[in-house]
Amino acid sequence: MYEDRNKVAHHTDKYKNSSLIVRRGQEFIMGIEFSRPFSPQKDSVNIEFMIGNVQGTLITVSLNGDSKMSNWKSRVLDSSWTETTVAITPASDCIIGLFSTFVTVVTPTMKQRTKRNPKTDFYILFNPWASSDEVYMDNENERAEYVLNDTGIIFNGVVDNVSSRPWNYGQFKPGVLDACLFVLDFGKVPLQFRGSAAKLIRQGSAMINSQDDDGVLVGNWSENFSNGTAPSAWTGSAEILLSYASKGGVPVKFGQCWVYAGTFNTFLRCLGLPARVITNYCSAHDNMGNLKTEIVLDEDGRMDTEHTTDSIWNFHCWNEVFLKRSDIPPIYSGWQVVDSTPQETSDGYYRCGPTSVRAIKDGMLGYQFDAPFVFAEVNSDVVFHKRDKYGNTRIVSTNTTYVGQLIVTKSVGSSTADDITENYKYPEGSPEDQLTMKHAESRGMDRYQPSLLAIDVQLQVSANQINQGRDIGVTVYLTSLSTAHRSVKVSLTCKADYYTGATRSIFKTFTKTMNLPPSQGESDIEMLQYQISDGPYHIYHSIMSSAWTILTHMHFLSVGTDIFVTVSFSNTIGYDLNNVTLRMEGSGLLPLKTKEYSQIASGSSVKWIESFTPQYPGKKKLVACLDCAAIRNVCGQLDIDINPKNAGIN
């Protein structure tokens, strides 16, 4: 099967798999040994490629030049006494997966077929390098990033304090390709669907979550991860996919949006699809399907959680896949949104997409799939309702600019954030934006602006950054626009939220009446006490900057040379950390390693030294994460250049 030669030509030489791996729509070479020289004029020989037992899964190509048998192509390159060398070009829309190879000799009286030989089984993947493939991408730097890069950065945090974490996709690791195909098999994805990128990724977005089909990941947005792995503890996707496949389809615990997106990205890139992880800040979750995010307040101005079903996430991660869509107008091909985080059902399953990014930008929400939901995530109006004790509600405020303030992904060739907000939205208030909203309204978006009382008092609230051991200073600014005196009752609720917008705890409420002279402003400062130890969701940014480092002691960074890495953690938080887990891995460097600490006392440090011997040259990333119940999202990374053997010191 000339594995080494073909893998280099097909950009599959990074896969740690002994079998041949090729990409569809591109020629590969194989050799056939006969008992005598092959003669195209005298001998009738077919090569059969089989992936299943239903129509379209047995491909027959002739070595005698008969092109009517299939849309695969073949040609004889050379024929000697011992071997005939043949070039095979799979159809650019063929099924992707693992094929078996057979040779059939046909005579007037018989047909003789070779037996199945696992050594001649081979994989076919999507091909972003072939212009005839629907996933073709014409930029080599983008192909290197979105198909071949096995590490990445996933952005999180909040819109005014963007942070990130490293992620090992690991699509080339041993067993990962088979694990991805197992996901399709276990999900009973029809073989005929596996030649269509759009159909495959739609099925895949359902199978990455376990909500209704025993898919890969179990979601958990609570604080109890005792019977699984906390979402913040994962360092990459390979461990998740390999566990799922090795246990025969037992869902892995646990995931949240960035884990779903990271794992789906591995699945997509592994099968040859150009894919990237997207982070949308202030991401709306529209449960009602009316393209509005509706927040209900009680009489005191507090959120009424019983009657509020929509939410706004600090950030939400999904994926984009680059492909040509044949089912919608050509202008809407290109990047497509797919989301495997289980939020709402689509055609009976928890899945989302693919839906065109360009169609979202233009408000063309009639094209498949799930465009209204994605549009609401980035463009929803926030509408505040006030509910009285009798259950009557009235609209008191709207905000048309809060949702989807920033949309980013990892830049090509670097770890910086690439702001792609303009891919999804026109400038607020521009003629193009107004046209988009008209298109959306024609598809059911309700932008009704109620008749509100004239507002002649403006309110602003600001708070200082949370620092350990210090109070939070909250400043309320009121400005009167009236020519008369105003008496204003201010109700303020301070609460700790999960990143999904769900309330964890309310730690302070107060009400105050402020008197404003005509056309003047007034401010009031309230000092709040909030114990950092109450939870991790408001402290992990400061911890990442002060308590965690990766120190390296490296010599002769080249293939085949032993390398030592030191992971250090200093507990500067002010309280003991119990049942701590450290994880470290590096694609192409180091398999996943874990270390457990029963306690890391306040003020103490731990140091973990590991050695590894790199086997492959190139740019690599080492990732480490610390996790315990008291703190989450503590990660570090190190970029390493591995030189070819005997290339000297870097």
Side-chain angles (χ1 to χ4, degrees):
M1 301 302 285
Y2 294 114
E3 290 89 354
D4 292 344
R5 175 181 175 184
N6 285 316
K7 283 182 176 180
V8 171
H10 284 251
H11 305 92
T12 59
D13 51 311
K14 289 186 176 182
Y15 286 86
K16 307 304 182 289
N17 189 310
S18 60
S19 297
L20 174 62
I21 304 172
V22 299
R23 300 185 188 273
R24 64 186 194 177
Q26 181 176 338
E27 188 175 82
F28 69 92
I29 310 301
M30 60 182 293
I32 306 172
E33 293 184 351
F34 294 107
S35 60
R36 62 169 174 80
F38 166 71
S39 172
Q41 292 75 31
K42 298 179 181 180
D43 301 317
S44 178
V45 177
N46 298 330
I47 306 177
E48 297 175 344
F49 303 104
M50 181 180 292
I51 193 173
N53 55 10
V54 297
Q55 184 177 1
T57 59
L58 174 63
I59 309 298
T60 303
V61 297
S62 171
L63 298 190
N64 304 88
D66 185 357
S67 61
K68 297 180 181 179
M69 287 188 171
S70 75
N71 54 356
W72 290 40
K73 298 178 182 179
S74 67
R75 62 190 183 101
V76 176
L77 298 178
D78 183 56
S79 185
S80 65
W81 179 263
T82 58
E83 180 180 321
T84 297
T85 307
V86 181
I88 304 292
T89 305
S92 57
D93 61 352
C94 76
I95 296 169
I96 62 99
L98 181 62
F99 285 77
S100 298
T101 308
F102 305 90
V103 177
T104 303
V105 177
V106 182
T107 71
T109 59
M110 62 173 290
K111 178 186 290 187
Q112 185 173 351
R113 191 171 189 250
T114 58
K115 295 181 179 180
R116 160 89 188 283
N117 179 4
K119 292 183 178 180
T120 61
D121 289 353
F122 70 103
Y123 301 84
I124 296 182
L125 309 178
F126 291 99
N127 193 352
W129 283 265
S131 60
S132 56
D133 196 308
E134 62 186 322
V135 302
Y136 173 66
M137 178 175 270
D138 63 2
N139 185 295
E140 181 59 32
N141 290 333
E142 291 184 347
R143 288 192 294 249
E145 179 68 52
Y146 300 132
V147 183
L148 299 181
N149 195 350
D150 58 356
T151 62
I153 298 292
I154 299 178
F155 294 93
N156 52 26
V158 292
V159 67
D160 56 358
N161 190 8
V162 172
S163 56
S164 64
R165 61 174 298 144
W167 194 265
N168 272 321
Y169 297 120
Q171 67 265 34
F172 306 125
K173 285 188 172 183
V176 172
L177 177 54
D178 287 321
C180 292
L181 295 177
F182 173 82
V183 171
L184 297 176
D185 293 339
F186 192 78
K188 297 180 174 57
V189 178
L191 286 169
Q192 297 93 325
F193 282 18
R194 303 185 194 185
S196 165
K199 291 179 179 178
L200 184 144
I201 63 180
R202 180 156 175 79
Q203 298 286 326
S205 73
M207 280 304 301
I208 295 299
N209 71 74
S210 67
Q211 196 75 3
D212 43 29
D213 47 16
D214 289 327
V216 176
L217 274 164
V218 178
N220 186 344
W221 281 268
S222 73
E223 296 180 47
N224 182 8
F225 309 115
S226 57
N227 61 339
T229 299
S232 54
W234 299 112
T235 54
S237 317
E239 178 187 4
I240 295 169
L241 289 164
L242 292 172
S243 173
Y244 180 74
S246 66
K247 295 179 181 178
V250 176
V252 179
K253 300 176 180 178
F254 293 104
Q256 292 180 6
C257 72
W258 71 90
V259 185
Y260 285 111
T263 303
F264 199 15
N265 217 52
T266 298
F267 173 88
L268 296 166
R269 289 187 185 182
C270 188
L271 299 180
L273 293 149
R276 59 189 186 180
V277 175
I278 307 299
T279 302
N280 176 39
Y281 289 92
C282 303
S283 187
H285 182 176
D286 173 23
N287 283 280
M288 304 303 293
N290 58 3
L291 304 182
K292 292 189 297 186
T293 301
E294 298 182 284
I295 309 298
V296 180
L297 309 175
D298 63 19
E299 289 184 298
D300 294 323
R302 302 189 184 103
M303 182 183 291
D304 186 339
T305 56
E306 182 181 351
H307 295 94
T308 299
T309 58
D310 294 342
S311 59
I312 302 174
W313 298 26
N314 288 348
F315 70 91
H316 178 54
C317 297
W318 59 68
N319 302 83
E320 286 181 0
V321 182
F322 193 87
L323 70 133
K324 181 179 180 180
R325 295 278 299 272
S326 59
D327 58 332
I328 58 178
I331 191 176
Y332 297 123
S333 290
W335 289 114
Q336 310 289 313
V337 172
V338 283
D339 191 347
S340 58
T341 300
Q343 297 182 91
E344 299 294 328
T345 57
S346 174
D347 296 332
Y349 294 92
Y350 279 92
R351 59 185 172 185
C352 182
T355 189
S356 165
V357 173
R358 175 62 187 272
I360 296 302
K361 184 174 184 176
D362 289 343
M364 306 301 290
L365 308 185
Y367 298 120
Q368 296 180 318
F369 297 86
D370 308 310
F373 182 80
V374 178
F375 185 88
E377 288 184 298
V378 301
N379 260 320
S380 176
D381 289 345
V382 184
V383 181
F384 293 90
H385 302 259
K386 197 166 188 178
R387 189 175 188 272
D388 64 23
K389 61 183 179 181
Y390 303 107
N392 302 312
T393 62
R394 61 186 178 91
I395 297 175
V396 294
S397 179
T398 61
N399 190 324
T400 62
T401 62
Y402 184 78
V403 167
Q405 294 183 48
L406 177 65
I407 305 171
V408 300
T409 189
K410 177 187 176 297
S411 297
V412 173
S414 81
S415 297
T416 60
D418 183 11
D419 183 349
I420 59 169
T421 310
E422 65 177 12
N423 290 3
Y424 285 81
K425 307 171 75 169
Y426 290 104
E428 187 74 25
S430 67
E432 295 86 355
D433 177 58
Q434 294 175 16
L435 182 60
T436 290
M437 294 306 165
K438 287 183 179 179
H439 290 157
E441 287 170 1
S442 71
R443 287 289 174 176
M445 180 179 180
D446 184 4
R447 301 201 82 203
Y448 168 68
Q449 298 296 331
S451 299
L452 300 175
L453 294 174
I455 298 175
D456 57 13
V457 175
Q458 293 181 340
L459 169 70
Q460 289 181 308
V461 180
S462 65
N464 65 310
Q465 177 69 30
I466 298 176
N467 293 305
Q468 180 185 347
R470 298 182 181 178
D471 291 340
I472 307 168
V474 176
T475 305
V476 178
Y477 298 91
L478 291 176
T479 303
S480 174
L481 306 179
S482 172
T483 57
H485 281 80
R486 289 285 183 257
S487 179
V488 182
K489 181 181 178 181
V490 179
S491 297
L492 189 64
T493 301
C494 302
K495 58 192 180 78
D497 283 352
Y498 298 103
Y499 85 98
T500 60
T503 299
R504 182 182 185 276
S505 63
I506 296 176
F507 60 91
K508 180 72 173 181
T509 62
F510 65 85
T511 301
K512 186 171 185 176
T513 299
M514 300 174 67
N515 295 307
L516 298 179
S519 304
Q520 292 187 26
E522 184 175 333
S523 65
D524 184 78
I525 298 178
E526 181 77 17
M527 301 305 294
L528 312 177
Q529 290 186 344
Y530 177 65
Q531 294 296 322
I532 290 181
S533 58
D534 283 353
Y537 295 92
H538 287 264
I539 65 170
Y540 67 89
H541 296 301
S542 60
I543 288 173
M544 288 177 67
S545 65
S546 64
W548 173 261
T549 58
I550 287 186
L551 306 177
T552 58
H553 304 282
M554 294 171 292
H555 305 279
F556 300 100
L557 273 178
S558 59
V559 169
T561 301
D562 289 341
I563 296 175
F564 295 88
V565 60
T566 302
V567 182
S568 301
F569 175 82
S570 299
N571 183 359
T572 63
I573 301 170
Y575 50 87
D576 297 342
L577 300 177
N578 298 314
N579 301 317
V580 179
T581 300
L582 272 174
R583 291 168 175 254
M584 177 167 54
E585 71 165 318
S587 293
L589 288 176
L590 180 72
L592 178 69
K593 302 279 188 178
T594 61
K595 197 169 184 66
E596 307 285 341
Y597 296 90
S598 59
Q599 185 180 84
I600 302 177
S602 176
S604 67
S605 299
V606 295
K607 185 177 292 186
W608 176 21
I609 300 176
E610 281 286 344
S611 66
F612 57 92
T613 306
Q615 302 298 315
Y616 305 96
K619 295 183 180 298
K620 310 294 182 182
K621 188 185 295 290
L622 194 65
V623 177
C625 285
L626 178 144
D627 187 79
C628 66
I631 58 172
R632 309 285 188 193
N633 287 297
V634 183
C635 297
Q637 69 179 45
L638 180 70
D639 294 317
I640 306 175
D641 285 334
I642 303 297
N643 294 323
K645 194 170 184 178
N646 300 322
I649 303 174
N650 182 12

